[in-house]
Amino acid sequence: MPEPKVIFWFRRDLRLNDNHGLYKALLSGYKVLPVFIFDTNILKKLPADDKRIPFIHHHLVAVHEKLKPQSCGIKVLHGDPVSVIQSLTDNYQIHSVYANHDYEPYALARDKQVEEMLKSRGISFHTFKDQVLFEKNEVVKSDSTPYVVFTPFSRLWLQKMEVEGIPDFPSELHTGQYLSGKFDDLPKLSDLGFTDSPLKISESGPLIDAGILQDYAENRNFPAFEKTTKLGTHLRFGTISVRDCIKAGKKYSAAWLNELIWREFFMQILWHFPYVEKSAFRPEYNRIVWNNNPDDFEKWCRGKTGYPMVDAGMRELEATGFMHNRVRMVVAGFLTKHLLIDWKWGEAWFAEKLLDYELSSNNGNWQWAAGTGCDAAPYFRIFNPTEQLKKFDANLIYVKRWIPEYGTAQYPEPIIEHSYARKRCLSVYSHYLKP
DNA sequence: CCTGGAGTTGTCCTA
DNA sequence: TTAGGACAACTCCAG
């Protein structure tokens, strides 16, 4: 009779340190088999040159190398998670499966199926809070309904953090519990149907830069400075611990900590109002009939609108999988308010292109920009892309970095005149929002 | 239930 | 030149 084992299933938590579910698995008393599954339900929708798969792959290799001296390494599989885990339970004597919570609608449905399959085999499925400090109903109003305004949410969040503290889950101290033995090498990217691509966002592993955090509030709005943390992708895939980030924010930068609270705010919004994935948080905004001109959309995507800040941002996104936050607001406002294109089109484009794409933040911020969301910018607050340029890239450093033909005849004229677009937006929004 | 203050990140116009 | 109100009221939230 072989000795029973537990599986730790990595999903959005690709790290060995301060990992809640992994920590609990390592303390379970059983040997731990670390597993990652490339989910074909997700991968089949991605183009072969998607930049996120190399990011994940890179970090899996790093985890594997770290584990090798003391264990078998990480077992990396490819397929539908329910069937993959089912076959693992056929091939190994599995006592239970451990993982961390994932709050997205797809993940919730998947985990439910996994749990039922395991249950039918007498195997328990244990999951833990890891990617946020507070989840589900932990930060709600006194009548236990969810907050839909950020500021009071953040006040209670901060208060709870002070009262309860930030827990540690030192999984890195329990390395003796990994299953030993020999496993195959990891699949190559080409085995998964993806091409390698050079990574700009941190091959060397995540680093919280105290200097950037200390000056974050002053610097963060100037895209040319590159003084944002660029930790979004690490937070998305869990290659950094959010608790470590929160501790750093607490120590060095209230402004950045606030951004982490926004992240949790939008995660809770998606949790409590899953319909936002498909429609406006405020239902009356679903009445808006968008122009949705495909030529305009194409020009926006390609960075050919004739508005330098918009175009620079869209080209940065295409080239790097990243866009500076200030510029994200400008391009999102331009698409929805100047071009009157459905925010869901822009949301989908970002979802395809952003390395740091995360459903709840992307959705929440697009709805914020479009004015359709909870606690959103009022619809009459319309960014002027030229004013934004003057304020935040007056010396055109960011613009020239991404638009080599800027200032030549090659660069297009604005596809729409600002004051005309502004008035049109105000009239269209007010028309459809009238009761 | 009532009440009053507040609400991420703007822009434009007028005095 | 600059400061302040308009933009639209409305809903949320805490006391």
Side-chain angles (χ1 to χ4, degrees), chain A residues 7 33 35 75 77 84-92 94:
Chain A
I7 287 173
L33 169 61
V35 168
K75 196 167 182 62
L77 301 157
V84 168
I85 292 175
Q86 186 166 340
S87 70
L88 280 172
T89 65
D90 289 336
N91 299 330
Y92 294 88
I94 300 300

Side-chain angles (χ1 to χ4, degrees), chain A residues 189-216:
Chain A
L189 273 169
S190 52
D191 301 334
L192 302 165
F194 287 85
T195 50
D196 204 352
S197 86
L199 288 174
K200 274 212 161 170
I201 297 199
S202 189
E203 285 119 304
S204 55
L207 273 177
I208 297 177
D209 184 326
I212 283 184
L213 291 187
Q214 278 161 344
D215 300 326
Y216 180 77

Side-chain angles (χ1 to χ4, degrees), chain A residues 59-78:
Chain A
H59 286 277
L60 285 171
V61 170
V63 164
H64 194 54
E65 292 303 318
K66 274 187 203 159
L67 284 174
K68 262 184 182 170
Q70 58 219 353
S71 75
C72 54
I74 185 169
K75 196 167 182 62
V76 175
L77 301 157
H78 185 212

Side-chain angles (χ1 to χ4, degrees), chain A residues 16 26 130 206:
Chain A
L16 297 173
L26 292 169
D130 181 72

